[in-house]
Amino acid sequence: MKSLIPILVATAGLVAVASPAVAGNHADNSVEITNGRFQNLTKAGDAVHYDVKGGAIMFRTANETTVYVKVKGLEPGTFYPTHVHNQLCSWSPPGGSHYQEDVLGPVDRFNEMWPGFMTDDTGQGVGSATHAFRARPEAQSLVIHYPAMTSIRLACVDLT
């Protein structure tokens, strides 16, 4: 499956056009696809600055949600915490809070969607997360956090 990640993310726009999102009853086998390109949340002159390029795509079916991320422009050989968030990137702070399937549940990789990734020696990374639930509409964005201080948000993509 990992070999498909770059193809899926690279063709996200094409897939979304070819397979339009289906609203309403999701009891059938329809797939809702949302995707976007990362926008940098840091800029030259900031204490932490990266020029992140890439995108993410989310597939929602009746009983499952999968999110894929592919990026470049980060530090080589580094794990980047990455989470689905409950607001758009234009929100303050960008992306709002982590999306949780059970809003009263624990903060963990089972209740939240964490497609974190390790970058290769060129600063590129791919990640994915699959859950046995259909993410609600408030799963709106994906945020890459700075590894040394996760309160710093490096990049955000709206999954619209």
Side-chain angles (χ1 to χ4, degrees):
M1 186 67 168
K2 271 197 169 194
S3 63
L4 292 178
I5 292 171
I7 295 167
L8 290 171
V9 173
T11 60
L14 202 56
V15 171
V17 172
S19 304
V22 178
N25 182 1
H26 296 284
D28 58 17
N29 291 328
S30 64
V31 178
E32 179 183 5
I33 301 168
T34 54
N35 62 82
R37 307 295 276 152
F38 278 103
Q39 56 183 285
N40 286 283
L41 299 176
T42 61
K43 58 190 178 306
D46 285 352
V48 175
H49 170 67
Y50 292 94
D51 186 18
V52 178
K53 305 270 192 249
I57 186 168
M58 181 181 280
F59 297 91
R60 293 176 175 125
T61 66
N63 301 314
E64 186 175 89
T65 303
T66 300
V67 61
Y68 296 100
V69 57
K70 181 180 179 191
V71 296
K72 63 181 180 177
L74 297 168
E75 289 294 320
T78 304
F79 180 81
Y80 284 86
T82 305
H83 308 97
V84 173
H85 280 240
N86 66 2
Q87 297 291 335
L88 296 173
C89 297
S90 59
W91 191 263
S92 181
S97 300
H98 291 186
Y99 170 84
Q100 293 186 310
E101 177 59 19
D102 176 355
V103 296
L104 300 176
V107 175
D108 63 24
R109 65 184 180 92
F110 303 104
N111 190 41
E112 298 184 354
M113 302 186 77
W114 297 0
F117 56 88
M118 179 71 108
T119 54
D120 64 15
D121 60 354
T122 67
Q124 296 184 55
V126 293
S128 66
T130 300
H131 290 275
F133 56 75
R134 180 185 179 82
R136 296 180 308 279
E138 61 260 37
Q140 298 184 58
S141 63
L142 188 109
V143 174
I144 300 173
H145 297 271
Y146 183 58
M149 186 180 293
T150 58
S151 63
I152 297 174
R153 298 165 191 225
L154 299 177
C156 184
V157 59
D158 287 330
L159 295 170
T160 56

